[in-house]
Amino acid sequence: MTQPLSTPTLRVHRVAQDDPLAAPLLAELALEYSSRYGRTPGEVHASLREHPATAFAPPHGALLVVTRDGEAVAGGAFQRYDAHTAEVKRIWTSREHRRQGLGLFVLEQLEAEIARRGYRRIYLTTGPRQPEAVGLYLAAGYRALYDPDLPAEQIGPHPFEKQLPALGAIA
């Protein structure tokens, strides 16, 4: 049950967690996190599935996959954090398509969807071994909720937030 939105070169699909378009996102995230954090891909994949599929489904969440020429190249999700806050999760760009602005594109698509759902704040965390993600969130206007002068490993998960204008009611 894919619902595509369109741009000139990319297509954005709202999908369920078990949609085949989401499979590359989950598989590559598992490999990426296992290589950075020393866990097996199986352990990481299982932890990615700990969130029930309903957490990333309307009306409170979404899972977006971006395709180019039918190939999944990027994606991300959000879920309800509290009545006014959405939590962004699983931002992903395939290895072969990095450094092309796709992470920022996904983040912008998620932010637009989050605002349409009436959330006024976005919260997220990223791991201490993901400096690319830290750079992305800072460049996109997120405020770090930690002391950036501390060593990354001492901080642990790096929390961020961004305030949004309220555009509608949360369903």
Side-chain angles (χ1 to χ4, degrees), residues 65-86:
V65 175
V66 177
T67 60
R68 181 183 287 146
D69 299 325
E71 177 187 3
V73 296
F78 71 89
Q79 64 184 1
R80 182 185 190 108
Y81 186 76
D82 65 34
H84 304 287
T85 307

Side-chain angles (χ1 to χ4, degrees), residues 21 29 31 49 51 62-63 75 85 93 117 119 122 126 129 154-155 157 163 169 171:
L21 278 177
L29 279 176
L31 288 173
R49 293 211 175 263
H51 292 281
L63 175 60
T85 307
T93 301
R117 303 279 180 93
Y119 291 106
I122 298 173
T126 193
R129 296 181 185 168
Q154 186 177 339
I155 297 166
Q163 300 297 323

Side-chain angles (χ1 to χ4, degrees), residues 81-82 84-88 107 111 120-126 134 136-146 158-164:
Y81 186 76
D82 65 34
H84 304 287
T85 307
E87 181 179 17
V88 169
L107 196 53
E111 288 176 0
R120 294 191 309 253
R121 177 177 174 256
I122 298 173
Y123 173 80
L124 63 87
T125 61
T126 193
V134 170
L136 170 65
Y137 301 133
L138 291 172
Y142 284 75
R143 184 171 71 91
L145 300 175
Y146 60 90
H158 290 46
F160 291 86
E161 73 173 354
K162 186 174 190 177
Q163 300 297 323
L164 299 174

